[in-house]
């Protein structure tokens, strides 16, 4: 019996890791599709609004189906939309207007480390040394991938905005895990659907889409010398880089833990860099290649050192692995 339970737990963890990788791949593919649209004349915030609003429209039938969540989990839906959808995007784009993109990306992907800090100092739960080492390696490798040393210009407000994006990403991982330990977790598709609707409402105020040049979407955008229909690029951003990315991301957190999924999500930066190399002609340097390997190593160490749900061992995440508490993490 014990062996069977362990086998099922191991299988579930493997599926969760696979879903986290799919999520990282999907999120990482957004940049190479968005950049040609931005270069074609769309404002970055307008691209973000199109991304979130389009995904919200696709997920609208699921929002109707899970409308009971509006009564049972209003705080969770609002928090996920504000933090996990609108917050990350708005803070990130505000930060890159003041500091280099690489620096902003590195600060944003400090989220896994911040999750560990939340667990250790707020929840006062122990974390494994191996998990902490995995996070350190992932962040260090990410610094090489984005070549943070090539353009650092200190701007206190810009760095604070990027840190805001990282905190919002922590909210995404922690809120995605709500209720998973108690068997009372809300349907992830419903949470995502309403999160996208809330995110759309918030971003509408920030991005002011009525000022957008919608005619750009009727033409072709240039992708490293190859003309690609702008509508096709937008479809990729909405369906793959948003809908698929959020669905697989939230489900993976349920099967793993916020910090483990967060470390795997660091691979998004590696994926984005590789795709930019292949599709946009932005070549990788030797330090970036080394950094990508280090990120992979860090993600593997953190994932392999995280105990399965139900374990009473030190945890590597803010998820509800330990059942010693009386379902306190159920939202």
């Amino acid at each position: 019996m014990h062996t069977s339970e362990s086998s099922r737990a191991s299988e579930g963890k493997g599926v969760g890791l696979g879903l986290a990788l799919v999520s990282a791949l999907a999120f990482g593919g957004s940049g190479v599709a968005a950049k040609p649209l931005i270069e074609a004349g769309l404002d970055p915030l307008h691209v973000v609004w199109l991304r979130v609003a389009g995904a919200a429209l696709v997920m609208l039938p699921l929002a109707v189906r899970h409308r009971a969540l509006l009564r049972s989990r209003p705080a969770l839906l609002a928090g996920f939309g504000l933090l996990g959808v609108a917050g990350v995007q708005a803070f990130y784009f505000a930060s890159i207007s003041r500091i280099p993109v690489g620096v902003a990306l590195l600060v944003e992907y400090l989220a896994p480390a911040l999750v560990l800090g939340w667990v250790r100092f707020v929840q006062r739960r122990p974390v494994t040394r191996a998990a902490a080492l995995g996070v350190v390696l992932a962040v260090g490798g990410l610094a090489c991938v984005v070549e943070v040393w090539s353009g650092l210009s200190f701007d206190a407000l810009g760095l604070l905005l990027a840190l805001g994006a990282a905190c919002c990403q922590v909210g995404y991982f922690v809120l995605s895990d709500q209720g998973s330990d108690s068997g009372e977790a809300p349907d992830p598709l419903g949470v995502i659907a309403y999160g996208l609707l809330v995110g759309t409402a918030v971003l509408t105020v920030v991005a002011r889409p009525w000022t957008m040049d919608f005619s750009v979407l009727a033409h072709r955008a240039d992708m490293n010398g190859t003309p690609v229909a702008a509508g096709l690029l937008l479809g990729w951003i909405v369906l793959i880089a948003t809908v698929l990315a959020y669905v697989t991301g939230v489900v993976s957190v349920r099967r793993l833990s916020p910090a483990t999924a967060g470390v795997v999500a660091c691979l998004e930066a590696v994926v984005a860099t590789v795709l930019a190399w292949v599709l946009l002609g932005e070549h990788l340097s030797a330090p970036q290649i080394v950094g990508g390997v280090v990120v992979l190593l860090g993600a593997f160490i953190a994932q392999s050192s995280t105990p399965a749900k139900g374990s009473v061992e030190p945890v590597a995440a803010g998820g509800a692995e330990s059942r010693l508490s009386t379902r306190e993490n159920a939202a």
Side-chain angles (χ1 to χ4, degrees):
M1 178 71 76
H2 179 72
T3 302
S4 177
E5 291 178 356
S6 299
S7 177
R8 285 197 297 270
S10 178
E11 181 180 352
K13 191 174 180 181
V15 172
L17 179 59
L19 290 171
L21 290 172
V22 170
S23 181
L25 288 169
F27 274 125
S30 64
V32 293
K35 186 170 182 178
L37 293 177
I38 294 172
E39 293 178 341
L42 287 179
D43 184 272
L45 273 179
H46 289 161
V47 176
V48 174
W49 182 86
L50 287 169
R51 174 186 185 178
V52 176
L57 185 61
V58 172
M59 300 288 284
L60 186 59
L62 289 171
V64 175
R65 179 179 178 182
H66 296 285
R67 56 188 178 275
L69 288 173
L70 289 172
R71 297 189 301 272
S72 62
R73 300 296 181 92
L76 172 61
L77 301 183
F80 189 82
L82 288 171
L83 298 176
V85 178
V88 173
Q89 301 292 341
F91 275 113
Y92 174 69
F93 278 94
S95 69
I96 63 176
S97 68
R98 305 184 66 93
I99 61 177
V101 173
V103 178
L105 186 62
L106 175 61
V107 175
E108 179 182 341
Y109 276 90
L110 289 176
L114 294 177
V115 172
L116 284 176
W118 172 270
V119 174
R120 181 66 184 89
F121 299 108
V122 178
Q123 294 185 336
R124 297 184 181 280
R125 300 169 64 194
V127 296
T128 63
R129 291 182 179 180
L133 175 62
V135 171
V136 171
L137 286 175
V139 173
L142 190 60
C144 295
V145 170
V146 302
E147 294 188 326
V148 64
W149 57 82
S150 65
L152 180 61
S153 58
F154 183 77
D155 184 300
L157 180 57
L159 292 176
L160 284 175
L161 290 168
L163 184 60
C167 292
C168 288
Q169 194 172 62
V170 171
Y172 162 73
F173 289 116
V174 173
L175 289 172
S176 296
D177 193 53
Q178 288 298 294
S180 61
D181 186 51
S182 66
E184 301 174 358
D187 190 288
L189 296 181
V191 174
I192 295 167
Y194 280 104
L196 289 168
L197 288 172
V198 172
T200 299
V202 174
L203 288 170
T204 296
V205 177
V206 176
R208 299 183 299 169
W210 52 87
T211 64
M212 188 190 316
D213 182 8
F214 283 93
S215 65
V216 173
L217 298 176
H219 299 88
R220 293 181 178 272
D222 180 77
M223 179 178 282
N224 195 29
T226 302
V228 180
L232 180 62
L233 293 174
L234 180 60
W236 174 274
I237 293 172
V238 170
L239 297 177
I240 304 299
T242 307
V243 174
L244 177 64
Y246 271 104
V247 169
T248 54
V250 170
V251 175
S252 74
V253 173
R254 296 283 179 85
R255 291 178 174 268
L256 296 171
S257 65
T260 302
V263 171
V264 177
C266 287
L267 296 177
E268 176 190 339
V270 180
V271 171
T273 306
V274 172
L275 290 178
W277 184 5
V278 175
L279 299 177
L280 301 179
E282 299 178 354
H283 298 291
L284 291 170
S285 66
Q288 286 177 312
I289 295 175
V290 173
V293 173
V294 174
V295 171
L296 287 169
L297 179 61
F300 173 78
I301 291 175
Q303 190 276 334
S304 60
S305 66
T306 305
K309 285 183 179 286
S311 171
V312 296
E313 299 174 9
V315 297
E321 287 92 351
S322 174
R323 297 180 189 240
L324 294 179
S325 59
T326 57
R327 300 183 177 182
E328 64 184 1
N329 288 323

